[in-house]
Amino acid sequence: MDDASTAGEAIGRDRTVAVVGTGTMGQGIAQVALVAGHPVRLHDSAPGRAAEAVAAIGARLDRLVEKGRMSAADREAAAGRLHAAADLAELADAALVVEAIVEDLAVKKRLFADLEKVVADDALLATNTSSLSVTAIAGGLRLPGRFVGLHFFNPAPLLPLVEVVRGFASDETAATRAYETVKAWGKTPVRCADTPGFIVNRIARPFYAEAFRVYEESGLDPATIDAVLRESGGFRMGPFELTDLIGQDVNEAVTRSVWESFFHDPKFTPSLAQRRLVESGRLGRKTGHGWFSYADGAERPEPRTAPPAKAPERITVRGDLGPAEPLVGLFEEAGIKVRRKRGDGFVELPGGAKLSLVDGETSFEYHREDIVSFDLAFDYAAATRIALSAREDIDPDVLAEAVGLFQALGKKVSLVGDLPGMIVARTVAMLADLAADAVGRGVASAEDIDTAMRLGVNYPAGPLEWAAKAGHRRLATVLDDMDTRYPGARYTPSLALMRLGYAEAAQEDR
């Protein structure tokens, strides 16, 4: 499609970029290409929409000038390069055409079949689809090799991530040229094979699904689950408040689409509670009610927080606490006397109870011992909340010792019941499992997956980076334990994660 001298290069700034579809995403993509210096043509099948989009983009450029982010001269030059196209034929000289229309496979296929009759054979064709198969959209094309996915995130002018998706028939040269082009536009592209959900929408499913499952099985309230994932897990927003912002119907539809595309794989099973929310019309902020109420004067529920308790004066740390080892220094800084002894990695409280980092087991299985589990944290020093889990009949005084210990560090404490995997640990383990599996299947590189999850959904770290920090073996064990207690393959650790765990063990044994 390209000659050898240009095959891997970004499309020249003097070449026209066309965008078909003038909704929010189409306008955003057009603005990105325009500000990067390209002539841009906008087309929409609805009469007058393209001209309206040109005016809207011009108004946004005016605001950039007002904020000092663009000079008046650059604004006038950009406006001179932006044109509405009433007919597809006006896109004939485009070097790249990006489609951002309705998520309907048949409609998209018709559009690209028509575009192939108009543009030159060396023009790149791209879809911004987030849920459909890039391969399927290109299936009927005469030259499917020049077709790729360019999945921008909304709002496109602000968010840096672009998933560059190579369909089954896409040429490597086309994917590389698309990658280099969006990189030249100042974006951060990541390469991805054509798989359901691509990177972000595939890997992110457990962030929502595990929180909803905790809610369904334990009755723990959304405000507390959100608080634990924010204040201990380091996530920017909790899954309940985030899906209220996204729209429950939108989020549930993506989850259902990925689940169906993976032939009902139990790892992607949608939430019945979320389905009922959608059926009731409680779609989140846009309807005034979702998991939370957004009516005027409505107050957000407070997370469950344990009352003040007295901290023990001394504790015994037996063995290494793994990813929770930084707690030892924090305990000492808080004035708690710490004695180190050999052991299997737990804190022995004065009353004889064991305080241990969460696994995938339940506390009631240890009915002869007082066991209190604490959840995983992204950064134990920075965390402002810690979740604790124990069986219902545990001695209140024993539980109070554990609560007081963490409160002495300035942490709020949430008691979450006897919950295998708790909240943060099971979420991170599932994210890591899907990420490792995606690398193993050649969907994307580990670096691109971590980059995509940091930039696309603002995770505090990429799931594979976090897995290395928490320990692959530990996370695989959490899932293996949960798989025993929740039969059905949802929590069966992938071979890819298990391999990472075994490699980790071999490295430690050297």
Side-chain angles (χ1 to χ4, degrees):
M1 54 164 287
D2 291 295
D3 61 56
S5 63
T6 63
E9 299 176 2
I11 293 171
R13 300 291 176 91
D14 60 330
R15 299 296 305 277
T16 296
V17 172
V19 178
V20 180
T22 58
T24 301
M25 184 58 80
Q27 290 184 31
I29 296 170
Q31 181 179 330
V32 170
L34 185 67
V35 171
H38 291 273
V40 174
R41 290 200 181 93
L42 274 168
H43 173 74
D44 198 291
S45 59
R49 288 275 181 85
E52 292 173 2
V54 167
I57 293 172
R60 283 201 290 275
L61 296 181
D62 288 338
R63 289 195 290 274
L64 292 178
V65 173
E66 293 170 3
K67 295 177 180 178
R69 297 176 183 173
M70 189 179 205
S71 71
D74 286 344
R75 188 263 181 234
E76 290 307 310
R81 297 193 302 272
L82 179 62
H83 302 282
D87 191 271
L88 282 182
E90 297 178 51
L91 311 184
D93 66 339
L96 167 64
V97 183
V98 183
E99 164 271 315
I101 63 174
V102 63
E103 287 288 85
D104 184 298
L105 179 60
V107 174
K108 290 180 188 289
K109 292 186 73 169
R110 283 198 299 271
L111 169 65
F112 283 108
D114 291 339
L115 279 169
E116 267 206 319
K117 301 172 185 175
V118 172
V119 299
D121 284 357
D122 64 349
L124 280 175
L125 299 180
T127 175
N128 183 60
T129 186
S130 62
S131 62
L132 300 176
S133 165
V134 171
T135 302
I137 297 172
L141 293 181
R142 177 173 55 86
L143 298 173
R146 45 102 166 253
F147 190 87
V148 297
L150 286 179
H151 181 216
F152 289 76
F153 288 74
N154 198 25
L158 297 180
L159 296 186
L161 183 68
V162 179
E163 293 176 322
V164 180
V165 185
R166 183 177 177 181
F168 188 77
S170 301
D171 291 336
E172 179 62 33
T173 53
T176 299
R177 195 165 195 200
Y179 180 96
E180 294 299 333
T181 296
V182 295
K183 185 178 179 181
W185 293 355
K187 295 300 182 183
T188 303
V190 291
R191 294 180 173 88
C192 177
D194 186 17
T195 184
F198 308 142
I199 298 176
V200 173
N201 281 332
R202 171 178 177 156
I203 306 298
R205 292 352 290 164
F207 178 69
Y208 313 106
E210 290 309 304
F212 298 161
R213 182 148 182 167
V214 167
Y215 167 78
E216 290 172 334
E217 75 179 48
S218 72
L220 193 63
D221 61 292
T224 300
I225 298 171
D226 274 358
V228 171
L229 284 162
R230 280 196 319 269
E231 300 171 37
S232 184
F235 293 95
R236 187 74 58 87
M237 297 179 72
F240 293 90
E241 59 186 342
L242 180 55
T243 52
D244 268 358
L245 179 63
I246 295 169
Q248 298 302 330
D249 53 338
V250 174
N251 181 263
E252 201 263 353
V254 172
T255 298
R256 187 168 295 277
S257 173
V258 172
W259 176 61
E260 291 174 348
S261 296
F262 277 111
F263 308 105
H264 296 182
D265 186 326
K267 289 183 182 288
F268 299 98
T269 301
S271 162
L272 180 60
Q274 188 182 35
R275 173 97 292 253
R276 293 291 180 259
L277 207 63
V278 172
E279 291 172 340
S280 71
R282 294 187 170 189
L283 306 183
R285 289 181 179 270
K286 61 187 176 184
T287 61
H289 206 302
W291 295 108
F292 305 108
S293 174
Y294 301 92
D296 291 341
E299 294 184 6
R300 180 69 62 87
E302 290 294 324
R304 298 182 192 176
T305 302
K310 184 179 179 180
E313 295 181 358
R314 65 183 67 242
I315 58 174
T316 300
V317 177
R318 294 189 174 271
D320 190 284
L321 300 183
E325 184 65 21
L327 283 172
V328 177
L330 297 176
F331 292 145
E332 292 175 329
E333 290 174 10
I336 296 166
K337 296 179 181 178
V338 177
R339 182 169 56 176
R340 302 297 300 249
K341 288 190 175 183
R342 293 181 180 178
D344 297 329
F346 63 90
V347 176
E348 186 178 304
L349 298 173
K354 290 183 178 179
L355 179 65
S356 60
L357 182 59
V358 59
D359 54 24
E361 299 178 352
T362 58
S363 296
F364 68 74
E365 297 173 58
Y366 298 89
H367 60 279
R368 294 182 181 179
E369 294 182 274
D370 285 326
I371 301 287
V372 180
S373 298
F374 61 92
D375 209 348
L376 187 65
F378 178 67
D379 182 337
Y380 281 101
T384 57
R385 183 179 298 271
I386 295 292
L388 299 182
S389 173
R391 66 175 188 269
E392 292 182 2
D393 63 347
I394 193 169
D395 185 335
D397 292 336
V398 168
L399 187 57
E401 279 190 330
V403 170
L405 180 63
F406 283 102
Q407 288 176 339
L409 306 184
K411 318 291 187 189
K412 297 177 181 177
V413 176
S414 290
L415 304 176
V416 300
D418 193 3
L419 189 62
M422 298 185 71
I423 299 172
V424 180
R426 72 195 291 171
T427 300
V428 172
M430 286 292 282
L431 290 171
D433 186 66
L434 292 190
D437 184 61
V439 173
R441 294 176 185 271
V443 171
S445 69
E447 180 182 1
D448 277 354
I449 287 175
D450 278 351
T451 297
M453 301 313 290
R454 284 196 309 270
L455 298 182
V457 278
N458 287 315
Y459 285 2
L464 293 166
E465 176 188 354
W466 199 345
K469 177 181 176 182
H472 300 104
R473 281 190 301 165
R474 184 177 296 273
L475 295 181
T477 298
V478 168
L479 293 178
D480 198 39
D481 288 344
M482 293 182 68
D483 186 46
T484 301
R485 288 151 187 84
Y486 300 98
R490 179 186 180 96
Y491 297 109
T492 305
S494 67
L495 286 175
L497 183 62
M498 292 176 67
R499 287 191 184 102
L500 289 172
Y502 284 118
E504 183 180 80
Q507 185 69 27
E508 291 174 356
D509 290 340
R510 288 179 182 174

Coordinates of all heavy atoms in Angstrom, one line a residue, residues 203-249:
I203 N -9.1 -5.7 30.1 CA -8.4 -5.9 31.4 C -9.2 -5.3 32.5 O -9.1 -5.7 33.7 CB -7.0 -5.3 31.3 CG1 -6.2 -5.8 30.1 CG2 -6.2 -5.5 32.6 CD1 -6.0 -7.3 30.1
A204 N -9.9 -4.2 32.3 CA -10.6 -3.4 33.4 C -11.8 -4.1 34.0 O -12.3 -3.7 35.0 CB -11.0 -2.0 32.9
R205 N -12.3 -5.2 33.3 CA -13.6 -5.7 33.8 C -13.6 -6.1 35.3 O -14.6 -5.8 36.0 CB -14.0 -6.9 33.0 CG -14.4 -6.8 31.5 CD -14.6 -5.4 30.9 NE -15.7 -4.7 31.5 CZ -15.9 -3.4 31.4 NH1 -15.0 -2.7 30.8 NH2 -16.9 -2.8 31.8
P206 N -12.6 -6.7 35.8 CA -12.6 -7.1 37.2 C -12.7 -5.9 38.2 O -13.2 -6.1 39.3 CB -11.3 -7.9 37.5 CG -10.9 -8.3 36.1 CD -11.3 -7.2 35.2
F207 N -12.2 -4.8 37.8 CA -12.3 -3.6 38.7 C -13.8 -3.3 39.1 O -14.1 -3.0 40.2 CB -11.7 -2.4 38.0 CG -11.8 -1.1 38.9 CD1 -11.1 -1.0 40.0 CD2 -12.6 -0.1 38.5 CE1 -11.2 0.1 40.8 CE2 -12.7 1.1 39.3 CZ -12.0 1.2 40.5
Y208 N -14.7 -3.5 38.1 CA -16.1 -3.3 38.4 C -16.7 -4.6 38.9 O -17.4 -4.6 39.9 CB -16.8 -2.9 37.1 CG -16.2 -1.8 36.3 CD1 -15.5 -2.0 35.2 CD2 -16.2 -0.5 36.8 CE1 -14.8 -1.0 34.5 CE2 -15.6 0.5 36.1 CZ -14.9 0.3 35.0 OH -14.3 1.3 34.3
A209 N -16.4 -5.7 38.2 CA -17.1 -7.0 38.5 C -16.8 -7.5 39.9 O -17.8 -8.0 40.6 CB -16.7 -8.0 37.5
E210 N -15.6 -7.4 40.4 CA -15.3 -7.9 41.7 C -16.0 -7.0 42.8 O -16.5 -7.6 43.8 CB -13.8 -8.0 42.0 CG -13.1 -9.1 41.2 CD -13.8 -10.4 41.3 OE1 -14.0 -10.9 42.5 OE2 -14.3 -11.0 40.3
A211 N -16.0 -5.7 42.6 CA -16.7 -4.9 43.6 C -18.2 -5.2 43.6 O -18.8 -5.3 44.7 CB -16.5 -3.4 43.2
F212 N -18.8 -5.4 42.5 CA -20.2 -5.7 42.4 C -20.5 -7.1 43.1 O -21.5 -7.3 43.7 CB -20.7 -5.7 41.0 CG -20.6 -4.4 40.3 CD1 -20.6 -4.3 38.9 CD2 -20.5 -3.2 41.0 CE1 -20.5 -3.1 38.3 CE2 -20.4 -2.0 40.4 CZ -20.4 -1.9 39.0
R213 N -19.5 -8.0 42.9 CA -19.7 -9.4 43.4 C -19.6 -9.3 45.0 O -20.3 -10.0 45.7 CB -18.7 -10.3 42.9 CG -18.9 -11.7 43.4 CD -18.5 -12.8 42.4 NE -18.7 -14.1 42.9 CZ -18.7 -15.2 42.1 NH1 -18.4 -15.1 40.8 NH2 -18.9 -16.4 42.6
V214 N -18.7 -8.5 45.5 CA -18.6 -8.3 46.9 C -19.9 -7.8 47.5 O -20.4 -8.2 48.5 CB -17.4 -7.4 47.3 CG1 -17.4 -6.9 48.7 CG2 -16.1 -8.1 47.0
Y215 N -20.4 -6.8 46.8 CA -21.7 -6.2 47.2 C -22.8 -7.3 47.2 O -23.6 -7.4 48.1 CB -22.1 -5.1 46.2 CG -23.5 -4.6 46.3 CD1 -23.9 -3.7 47.3 CD2 -24.4 -4.9 45.3 CE1 -25.2 -3.2 47.4 CE2 -25.7 -4.5 45.4 CZ -26.1 -3.6 46.4 OH -27.4 -3.2 46.5
E216 N -22.9 -8.1 46.1 CA -23.9 -9.1 46.0 C -23.8 -10.2 47.1 O -24.8 -10.7 47.6 CB -23.9 -9.7 44.6 CG -24.3 -8.8 43.5 CD -24.1 -9.3 42.1 OE1 -23.2 -10.2 42.0 OE2 -24.8 -8.9 41.2
E217 N -22.6 -10.6 47.3 CA -22.4 -11.8 48.2 C -22.3 -11.5 49.7 O -22.6 -12.3 50.5 CB -21.2 -12.6 47.8 CG -19.9 -12.0 48.2 CD -18.7 -12.9 47.8 OE1 -18.7 -13.3 46.6 OE2 -17.8 -13.1 48.6
S218 N -21.9 -10.2 50.0 CA -21.7 -9.9 51.4 C -22.6 -8.8 51.9 O -22.7 -8.7 53.2 CB -20.2 -9.4 51.6 OG -20.1 -8.1 51.0
G219 N -23.2 -8.1 51.0 CA -24.1 -7.0 51.5 C -23.3 -5.8 51.9 O -23.9 -4.8 52.4
L220 N -22.0 -5.8 51.7 CA -21.2 -4.6 52.1 C -21.6 -3.5 51.2 O -21.8 -3.7 50.0 CB -19.7 -5.0 51.9 CG -18.7 -4.0 52.5 CD1 -18.9 -3.9 54.0 CD2 -17.3 -4.4 52.1
D221 N -21.8 -2.3 51.8 CA -22.4 -1.2 51.0 C -21.4 -0.6 50.0 O -20.2 -0.6 50.2 CB -22.8 -0.1 52.0 CG -21.7 0.4 52.8 OD1 -21.1 -0.3 53.6 OD2 -21.3 1.6 52.6
P222 N -21.9 0.0 48.9 CA -21.1 0.6 47.9 C -20.1 1.6 48.4 O -19.0 1.7 47.9 CB -22.1 1.1 46.9 CG -23.3 0.3 47.0 CD -23.3 0.0 48.5
A223 N -20.6 2.5 49.3 CA -19.7 3.5 49.8 C -18.4 3.0 50.4 O -17.3 3.5 50.3 CB -20.4 4.4 50.8
T224 N -18.6 1.9 51.2 CA -17.4 1.3 51.9 C -16.5 0.6 50.9 O -15.2 0.8 50.9 CB -17.9 0.3 52.9 OG1 -18.7 1.0 53.9 CG2 -16.7 -0.3 53.6
I225 N -17.0 -0.1 49.9 CA -16.2 -0.8 48.9 C -15.4 0.3 48.1 O -14.2 0.1 47.9 CB -17.1 -1.6 48.0 CG1 -17.8 -2.7 48.8 CG2 -16.2 -2.2 46.9 CD1 -18.8 -3.5 48.0
D226 N -16.1 1.4 47.7 CA -15.4 2.4 47.0 C -14.3 3.0 47.8 O -13.2 3.3 47.3 CB -16.4 3.5 46.6 CG -17.1 3.3 45.3 OD1 -16.9 2.3 44.7 OD2 -18.0 4.1 45.0
A227 N -14.6 3.3 49.1 CA -13.6 3.9 50.0 C -12.3 3.0 50.1 O -11.2 3.5 50.1 CB -14.2 4.2 51.3
V228 N -12.5 1.7 50.3 CA -11.4 0.8 50.4 C -10.5 0.8 49.2 O -9.3 0.9 49.2 CB -11.9 -0.6 50.8 CG1 -10.7 -1.6 50.7 CG2 -12.5 -0.6 52.2
L229 N -11.2 0.8 48.0 CA -10.4 0.7 46.7 C -9.7 2.1 46.5 O -8.6 2.1 45.9 CB -11.3 0.4 45.6 CG -11.7 -1.1 45.5 CD1 -12.9 -1.4 44.6 CD2 -10.5 -1.9 45.0
R230 N -10.3 3.2 46.9 CA -9.7 4.5 46.8 C -8.5 4.6 47.8 O -7.4 5.0 47.4 CB -10.7 5.6 47.0 CG -11.6 6.0 45.8 CD -12.2 7.3 46.0 NE -12.6 7.6 47.4 CZ -13.8 7.3 47.9 NH1 -14.7 6.7 47.1 NH2 -14.1 7.5 49.1
E231 N -8.9 4.5 49.0 CA -8.0 4.9 50.1 C -6.9 3.8 50.5 O -5.9 4.1 51.1 CB -8.8 5.2 51.3 CG -9.8 6.4 51.1 CD -10.8 6.6 52.2 OE1 -10.4 6.5 53.4 OE2 -11.9 7.0 51.9
S232 N -7.2 2.6 50.1 CA -6.2 1.5 50.3 C -5.6 1.1 49.0 O -4.4 0.9 48.8 CB -6.8 0.3 51.0 OG -5.8 -0.7 51.3
G233 N -6.4 0.9 48.0 CA -6.0 0.5 46.7 C -5.3 1.5 45.8 O -4.6 1.2 44.9
G234 N -5.6 2.8 46.2 CA -4.9 3.9 45.4 C -5.6 4.2 44.1 O -5.1 5.0 43.3
F235 N -6.8 3.7 43.8 CA -7.5 4.0 42.6 C -8.1 5.4 42.7 O -8.5 5.8 43.8 CB -8.6 2.9 42.3 CG -8.1 1.6 42.0 CD1 -8.0 0.6 43.0 CD2 -7.7 1.3 40.7 CE1 -7.4 -0.6 42.7 CE2 -7.2 0.0 40.4 CZ -7.1 -0.9 41.4
R236 N -8.2 6.1 41.6 CA -8.7 7.4 41.6 C -10.2 7.5 42.0 O -10.6 8.4 42.8 CB -8.6 8.0 40.2 CG -8.9 9.5 40.1 CD -7.8 10.4 40.6 NE -6.5 10.1 40.0 CZ -6.1 10.7 38.9 NH1 -6.9 11.6 38.3 NH2 -4.9 10.5 38.4
M237 N -11.0 6.6 41.6 CA -12.4 6.5 42.0 C -12.8 5.1 42.3 O -12.1 4.2 41.7 CB -13.3 7.1 40.8 CG -13.1 8.5 40.5 SD -14.2 9.0 39.1 CE -15.8 9.1 40.0
G238 N -13.8 4.9 43.1 CA -14.3 3.6 43.3 C -15.2 3.1 42.2 O -15.7 4.0 41.4
P239 N -15.4 1.8 42.0 CA -16.2 1.4 40.8 C -17.6 1.8 40.9 O -18.3 1.9 39.8 CB -16.0 -0.2 40.9 CG -15.6 -0.4 42.3 CD -14.8 0.8 42.8
F240 N -18.2 2.0 42.0 CA -19.6 2.4 42.1 C -19.8 3.8 41.7 O -20.7 4.1 40.8 CB -20.2 2.1 43.5 CG -20.3 0.7 43.9 CD1 -19.2 0.1 44.5 CD2 -21.4 -0.1 43.6 CE1 -19.2 -1.3 44.9 CE2 -21.4 -1.4 44.0 CZ -20.4 -2.0 44.6
E241 N -19.0 4.7 42.2 CA -19.1 6.1 41.8 C -18.6 6.3 40.3 O -19.2 7.1 39.6 CB -18.3 7.0 42.7 CG -16.8 6.7 42.8 CD -16.0 7.5 43.8 OE1 -16.6 8.5 44.3 OE2 -14.9 7.0 44.2
L242 N -17.7 5.5 39.9 CA -17.2 5.6 38.5 C -18.2 5.2 37.5 O -18.5 5.8 36.5 CB -15.9 4.8 38.3 CG -15.3 4.9 36.9 CD1 -15.0 6.3 36.5 CD2 -14.0 4.1 36.9
T243 N -18.9 4.0 37.8 CA -19.9 3.6 36.8 C -21.2 4.5 36.9 O -21.8 4.6 35.9 CB -20.4 2.1 37.1 OG1 -20.7 2.0 38.5 CG2 -19.3 1.2 36.8
D244 N -21.4 5.2 38.0 CA -22.5 6.2 38.0 C -22.1 7.3 37.1 O -23.0 8.0 36.4 CB -22.7 6.7 39.4 CG -23.7 6.0 40.2 OD1 -24.4 5.0 39.6 OD2 -24.0 6.3 41.4
L245 N -20.8 7.7 37.0 CA -20.3 8.7 36.1 C -20.4 8.3 34.7 O -20.8 9.1 33.8 CB -18.9 9.1 36.5 CG -18.2 10.2 35.7 CD1 -19.0 11.6 35.8 CD2 -16.8 10.4 36.1
I246 N -19.9 7.1 34.4 CA -19.9 6.6 33.0 C -21.3 6.4 32.5 O -21.6 6.7 31.3 CB -19.2 5.2 33.0 CG1 -17.7 5.4 33.3 CG2 -19.3 4.5 31.6 CD1 -17.0 4.1 33.5
G247 N -22.2 5.9 33.4 CA -23.6 5.5 33.0 C -23.7 4.0 33.2 O -22.9 3.3 32.5
Q248 N -24.6 3.5 34.0 CA -24.7 2.1 34.3 C -25.0 1.3 33.0 O -24.5 0.2 32.8 CB -25.8 1.8 35.3 CG -25.4 2.5 36.7 CD -24.1 2.0 37.3 OE1 -23.7 0.9 37.0 NE2 -23.5 2.8 38.1
D249 N -25.8 1.9 32.1 CA -26.2 1.2 30.9 C -25.0 1.1 30.0 O -24.8 0.0 29.4 CB -27.3 2.0 30.1 CG -27.0 3.5 29.9 OD1 -26.2 4.0 30.7 OD2 -27.6 4.1 29.0

